[in-house]
């Protein structure tokens, strides 16, 4: 029989070995996923879709009686998926969310493209054409729904780029600032009934180290290289500084220098929707709660929640 001290050391050693194995296995899996993701580009995949069926789907997107059976394939914690979800919700585009299991992606078995988000415009007759890549999806739908002018506005382009690059990176880094933090980030899958228990366990053991490695070795490195943070900066402090910059600059009327409800003025534009979508990727998480309590973003988030039916 083991003594209490001996058993404790063995448990500690086993946990440490599991962690090391998770890190090593996670890194190898991340490399394989990168290769798989690059095998088909979004542009070539979209170009291969049935143009006539896509055109028909776009015409009926918001038709309450005859709209396509639009499916959004996503990860709940994916910020780019959040931008598509925010656009669909705000413009009342009927759709169904399909939660994709992040490691094996069985929900994408019918698609040659293996990244999310993806939209599929099904009909009563069966599966329809796809539209993939968050920027392409939002830009295409905005153009088809009469918001092409926003796509040509330099100020809108500047802040959308900020939301989709700097903000995403700071959110990702803070969300995965430590291995325990990365593990806790995967708790959302517990409520996903479509994901088998074994897969959920695998995600927490392997997926968390993957995201921790990505945050530390890729995301942080890029932020430092781009001059957006120093190696010893606190990710939370930098994230909050970026969020406050959004409220003080993007929500300020350039001419009058007076605060405005949304970047779009009296109603949201693509900047508001992209920014909101990115932040929804951490809704319910410590990161989100701290942003509300410790920055000036709260009133804007509340106003957006009301308009998007989240209040």
């Amino acid at each position: 029989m083991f003594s209490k001290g001996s058993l404790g050391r063995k448990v500690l050693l086993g946990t440490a070995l599991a962690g090391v194995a998770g890190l090593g296995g996670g890194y190898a899996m991340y490399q394989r996923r990168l290769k798989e993701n690059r095998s088909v580009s979004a542009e070539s995949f979209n170009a291969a879709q049935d143009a006539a069926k896509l055109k028909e789907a776009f015409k009926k997107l918001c038709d309450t009686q005859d709209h396509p059976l639009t499916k959004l394939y996503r990860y709940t914690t994916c910020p780019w998926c959040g931008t598509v979800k925010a656009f669909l919700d705000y413009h009342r585009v009927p759709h169904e969310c399909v939660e994709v299991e992040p490691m094996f992606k069985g929900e994408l078995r019918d698609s040659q493209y293996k990244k999310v988000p993806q939209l599929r415009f099904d009909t009563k007759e069966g599966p329809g054409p796809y539209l993939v890549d968050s920027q392409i999806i939002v830009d295409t739908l905005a153009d088809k729904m009469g918001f092409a002018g926003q796509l040509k506005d330099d100020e809108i382009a500047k802040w959308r780029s900020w939301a989709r690059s700097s903000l995403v990176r700071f959110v990702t880094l803070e969300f995965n600032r430590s291995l325990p933090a990365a593990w806790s980030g995967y708790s959302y899958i517990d409520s996903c009934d479509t994901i088998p228990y074994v897969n959920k366990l695998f995600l927490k053991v392997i997926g968390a180290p993957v995201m921790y490695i990505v945050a530390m070795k890729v995301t942080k490195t890029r932020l430092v290289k781009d001059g957006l943070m120093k190696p010893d900066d606190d990710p939370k402090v930098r994230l909050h500084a970026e969020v406050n910059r959004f409220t003080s600059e993007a929500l300020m009327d350039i001419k009058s220098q007076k605060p405005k409800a949304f970047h779009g003025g009296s109603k949201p534009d693509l900047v508001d929707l992209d920014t909101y979508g990115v932040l929804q990727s951490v809704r319910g998480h410590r990161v989100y709660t701290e942003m509300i309590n410790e920055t000036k973003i709260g009133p804007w988030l509340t106003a957006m929640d009301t308009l998007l039916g989240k209040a």
Side-chain angles (χ1 to χ4, degrees), residues 74-77 98-107 109 186-204:
R74 65 161 187 174
Y75 308 146
T76 296
T77 56
V98 178
E99 192 69 29
V100 175
E101 188 272 296
M103 301 307 290
F104 300 106
K105 304 180 183 179
E107 294 76 10
R109 64 177 62 88
Y186 268 100
S187 61
Y188 82 93
I189 65 171
D190 292 332
S191 62
C192 297
D193 296 334
T194 57
I195 299 178
Y197 174 76
V198 173
N199 291 43
K200 292 179 181 180
L201 187 61
F202 183 84
L203 278 169
K204 290 180 179 180

Side-chain angles (χ1 to χ4, degrees), residues 23 27 106 123 203 206 216 254 287 291:
L23 284 169
Y27 183 75
T123 65
L203 278 169
I206 301 298
M216 294 298 109
I254 297 176
V287 175
M291 275 192 294

Side-chain angles (χ1 to χ4, degrees), residues 128-152:
Y130 289 87
L131 185 63
V132 304
D133 182 90
S134 64
Q135 180 106 34
I136 294 175
I137 292 172
V138 172
D139 288 3
T140 299
L141 296 188
D143 178 59
K144 301 300 181 183
M145 296 174 68
F147 304 102
Q150 293 188 30
L151 302 175
K152 302 173 184 178

Side-chain angles (χ1 to χ4, degrees), residues 145-187:
M145 296 174 68
F147 304 102
Q150 293 188 30
L151 302 175
K152 302 173 184 178
D153 187 298
D154 291 340
E155 183 70 10
I156 289 177
K158 181 186 79 172
W159 282 105
R160 289 188 74 199
S161 176
W162 168 83
R164 289 171 167 273
S165 56
S166 299
L167 182 60
V168 166
R169 290 174 183 174
F170 279 117
V171 167
T172 300
L173 185 59
E174 173 59 9
F175 190 80
N176 300 285
R177 64 179 297 148
S178 67
L179 193 52
W183 269 322
S184 71
Y186 268 100
S187 61

